[in-house]
Amino acid sequence: MLLITHVFNIKLVNYPSFLILHIVRLMSKYKTSGYKGSYDYSKSEEREGRSLVRFKCGLLNTIQDVLRQRPGWVEVKDEGEWDFNWCDVGWLRENFDHSYMEEHVRINHFRNHYELTRKNLMVKNLKRYRKNQERDVGRLEASKCDFFPCTFALPSEYHLFVEEFKRSPGSTWIMKPVAKSQGKGIFLFRKLKDIMDWKKDGTRSEEQKDAAQVESYVAQRYIENPYLINGRKFDLRVYVLVTSYVPLKAWLYRDGFGRFSSTRFSLSSIDDKYMHLTNVAVQKTAPDYDPEKGCKWQMQQLRRYLTAKHGRETVETLFTEMDNIFVRSLQSVQKVIINDKHCFELYGYDILLDQNLKPWLIEVNASPSYTPSSQEDYEMKCRLLEDTLNVVDMEGRLTGKEKRVGGYDLMWNDGPIYREDVNVETFGSSCFTANTHLGCVNDREKQLRWLLKPFPGQKRM
Ligand code: ADP
């Protein structure tokens, strides 16, 4: 009880006994994390970071390996007290509201991360943001939000959807369950009769109405002209780390990859998921899938390919447009996400390119897969996760002013971040270049050697 009152900073001496009991019962409903447990941290350690970090990990893949190998970090199981928690979203839903967290504690999700990572809510927030931009700054600025395909929530927006559907007869749409992943439940359609179950009006039979409510889906315009390499469709997986929403502070990772479909693209058959869905989980089950070759290209390889084909300037424009997607999508939820200094989030963005090299935002994942599909993929994910921990900086080795940490470049800190090598006085503001290097060389080890002071027990990088 002493501990609880210490944590909640309450002096009980002035309270009547029944109230004390009530307060204690109330407080013991909260699982406290990161309070003074068996390791007694001094105040100076609190400020400067810690040489010993107690972590909890709810996943059994690459992240667990990375956490276990980190010098000075020890794993705690079950109800043990922790300083750092890499949890799954299920744990968050059940426990976050009952957890008291001390100042230094960190956890890998924001409480209502789903505002950006559930398909229907992402689109709702983006539509509202675009409308506000149009009202506040004008049409031109609002048009910079036109990076997501036209989307409707079903069944709630069925009538709006039908109006739009009828405006472009013959076009292809894609139906996606709002809360599923890995391509589950997705199908393409061109006829309204294929989505009768989501029809929301009096023409459904009594029997249909009585049936269990249909699952929430989004109907989205299908990108019919994807950019193809060797006749195959692919999408890009990009990693963006947010360490604060107010002010917005976001980092872009240099590595990422393209995920290819195994079957040559064609619009003549819309039922072939191996042709239309680029999820690794789907492609892995294709009859001709070769686990040796996999279905991925590293981002660097993709950037080189596109540069050789279209020239540097075109590709730089494409990557600048992708930066615009990352920043604006985060801004669209900035006011709705519950900002909490204990939270950070590593988002996996899915971007699709069309034949005009326009990038489209398909989805943002709160739990991008860390399960490796090859040795190369494993190494990339280790780098990504190690650098995520470097940015989160439980060890307190950073000053907070860094624009680069390993493979992460600071993209936004309450405003755009520009590269240091740009001479502002000579070139003026029109030559500002964004501090992003997606698909560029990731010489992280060299940068980390320079950046980080070794701490006791740390292996040389
Ligand atoms: P999931 O969460 O199940 O992975 P996604 O929205 O990421 O669902 O879609 C799965 C895949 O379907 C994408 O990786 C992409 O290949 C394809 N896809 C999704 N939406 C579209 C679209 N609007 N146009 C073209 N392809 C799409």
Side-chain angles (χ1 to χ4, degrees):
M1 184 161 100
L2 257 179
L3 184 63
I4 294 174
T5 52
H6 165 81
V7 166
F8 284 82
N9 200 16
I10 294 172
K11 288 200 174 70
L12 294 182
V13 276
N14 302 327
Y15 291 82
S17 57
F18 74 90
L19 206 61
I20 293 176
L21 248 173
H22 181 67
I23 291 172
V24 169
R25 257 199 228 116
L26 220 131
M27 289 187 306
S28 56
K29 276 169 88 178
Y30 288 81
K31 292 176 191 138
T32 57
S33 305
Y35 54 72
K36 284 186 186 184
S38 40
Y39 307 103
D40 195 359
Y41 298 116
S42 68
K43 267 279 166 242
S44 68
E45 262 181 310
E46 192 83 80
R47 210 173 41 245
E48 288 167 13
R50 39 208 59 234
S51 52
L52 196 138
V53 176
R54 298 163 298 174
F55 73 87
K56 187 175 168 73
C57 182
L59 304 176
L60 296 174
N61 51 36
T62 319
I63 180 62
Q64 195 179 44
D65 296 349
V66 168
L67 288 166
R68 284 182 174 169
Q69 280 161 22
R70 199 162 175 90
W73 288 47
V74 286
E75 189 163 11
V76 293
K77 292 277 182 198
D78 306 321
E79 297 300 296
E81 292 152 22
W82 45 270
D83 306 303
F84 181 93
N85 190 349
W86 197 287
C87 66
D88 57 39
V89 293
W91 187 95
L92 189 87
R93 205 169 33 239
E94 276 165 32
N95 298 282
F96 190 90
D97 295 339
H98 313 293
S99 299
Y100 169 79
M101 290 185 233
E102 262 192 25
E103 180 84 15
H104 71 278
V105 165
R106 293 290 178 271
I107 185 162
N108 66 322
H109 291 294
F110 285 88
R111 175 67 186 88
N112 57 343
H113 63 86
Y114 44 77
E115 290 286 349
L116 185 60
T117 57
R118 204 165 291 160
K119 295 176 179 70
N120 52 343
L121 297 180
M122 176 186 91
V123 170
K124 186 182 100 189
N125 285 314
L126 281 169
K127 283 182 179 171
R128 190 197 45 228
Y129 176 75
R130 183 168 57 189
K131 212 162 130 201
N132 291 346
Q133 288 287 102
E134 184 161 349
R135 186 195 59 207
D136 300 340
V137 246
R139 278 244 168 97
L140 187 65
E141 203 56 23
S143 69
K144 293 181 185 156
C145 306
D146 292 337
F147 50 72
F148 56 101
C150 179
T151 309
F152 298 92
L154 297 191
S156 59
E157 296 178 331
Y158 184 82
H159 295 297
L160 284 174
F161 161 71
V162 172
E163 268 176 45
E164 184 63 33
F165 180 87
K166 287 185 175 159
R167 254 179 242 147
S168 47
S171 56
T172 313
W173 291 77
I174 186 167
M175 277 287 271
K176 309 194 272 190
V178 299
K180 287 203 176 119
S181 60
Q182 303 189 321
K184 287 183 201 121
I186 297 182
F187 62 94
L188 274 60
F189 69 98
R190 290 192 182 124
K191 297 196 173 84
L192 280 180
K193 73 170 175 43
D194 293 338
I195 59 155
M196 277 304 270
D197 287 350
W198 286 268
K199 194 167 179 177
K200 193 191 161 222
D201 68 9
T203 59
R204 277 200 296 173
S205 69
E206 284 308 311
E207 210 172 280
Q208 277 173 316
K209 277 187 206 159
D210 283 349
Q213 285 222 320
V214 290
E215 192 178 351
S216 295
Y217 264 65
V218 290
Q220 186 170 75
R221 207 172 256 288
Y222 189 66
I223 310 289
E224 292 180 333
N225 60 338
Y227 189 95
L228 304 178
I229 296 182
N230 297 331
R232 282 158 181 88
K233 174 180 171 175
F234 63 95
D235 71 353
L236 304 176
R237 165 53 56 87
V238 183
Y239 296 98
V240 174
L241 172 66
V242 173
T243 45
S244 160
Y245 265 98
V246 184
L248 181 61
K249 191 166 184 181
W251 305 74
L252 179 63
Y253 205 65
R254 293 182 175 209
D255 297 342
F257 47 85
R259 297 174 297 193
F260 285 79
S261 62
S262 54
T263 311
R264 293 178 83 83
F265 183 81
S266 147
L267 276 176
S268 56
S269 114
I270 58 169
D271 298 325
D272 186 345
K273 60 180 178 176
Y274 300 120
M275 184 189 288
H276 296 286
L277 311 187
T278 51
N279 306 72
V280 177
V282 170
Q283 295 300 328
K284 261 193 203 155
T285 64
D288 51 352
Y289 179 75
D290 177 355
E292 290 288 307
K293 272 170 56 195
C295 52
K296 287 182 181 169
W297 273 24
Q298 291 303 309
M299 191 63 79
Q300 283 77 1
Q301 189 183 354
L302 259 166
R303 188 165 182 153
R304 271 199 307 273
Y305 175 93
L306 293 172
T307 306
K309 203 133 194 218
H310 303 280
R312 230 182 74 183
E313 218 172 296
T314 307
V315 173
E316 267 169 19
T317 306
L318 162 66
F319 279 71
T320 305
E321 283 176 26
M322 283 202 263
D323 292 347
N324 174 64
I325 294 182
F326 308 135
V327 170
R328 286 185 189 271
S329 57
L330 295 173
Q331 286 177 329
S332 77
V333 292
Q334 204 187 350
K335 291 195 178 122
V336 285
I337 295 272
I338 303 163
N339 192 51
D340 184 329
K341 61 174 184 279
H342 300 104
C343 305
F344 66 94
E345 190 102 38
L346 176 51
Y347 293 109
Y349 273 75
D350 292 348
I351 307 279
L352 193 78
L353 308 184
D354 70 16
Q355 278 162 12
N356 306 315
L357 279 185
K358 175 182 165 70
W360 293 90
L361 175 60
I362 298 298
E363 188 185 26
V364 185
N365 290 278
S367 308
S369 165
Y370 302 121
T371 307
S373 55
S374 65
Q375 183 60 25
E376 188 186 38
D377 196 43
Y378 178 72
E379 285 163 17
M380 188 247 121
K381 283 171 176 161
C382 285
R383 292 196 293 272
L384 166 78
L385 293 165
E386 277 171 25
D387 286 345
T388 303
L389 302 184
N390 289 334
V391 172
V392 173
D393 192 30
M394 295 298 289
E395 294 92 351
R397 293 177 292 177
L398 305 180
T399 62
K401 297 207 170 83
E402 290 77 9
K403 283 185 172 181
R404 181 179 172 193
V405 177
Y408 274 114
D409 298 293
L410 185 59
M411 170 168 58
W412 193 268
N413 188 11
D414 209 14
I417 302 293
Y418 299 108
R419 282 181 204 173
E420 248 144 33
D421 49 351
V422 176
N423 186 333
V424 180
E425 278 168 28
T426 316
F427 296 109
S429 61
S430 60
C431 284
F432 275 19
T433 312
N435 182 45
T436 51
H437 300 79
L438 179 61
C440 298
V441 175
N442 185 5
D443 52 347
R444 63 182 283 278
E445 296 193 8
K446 193 167 130 209
Q447 202 270 342
L448 286 172
R449 259 199 304 275
W450 171 83
L451 181 73
L452 300 178
K453 293 178 264 137
F455 57 93
Q458 185 188 10
K459 277 192 281 183
R460 278 204 72 74
M461 303 248 190

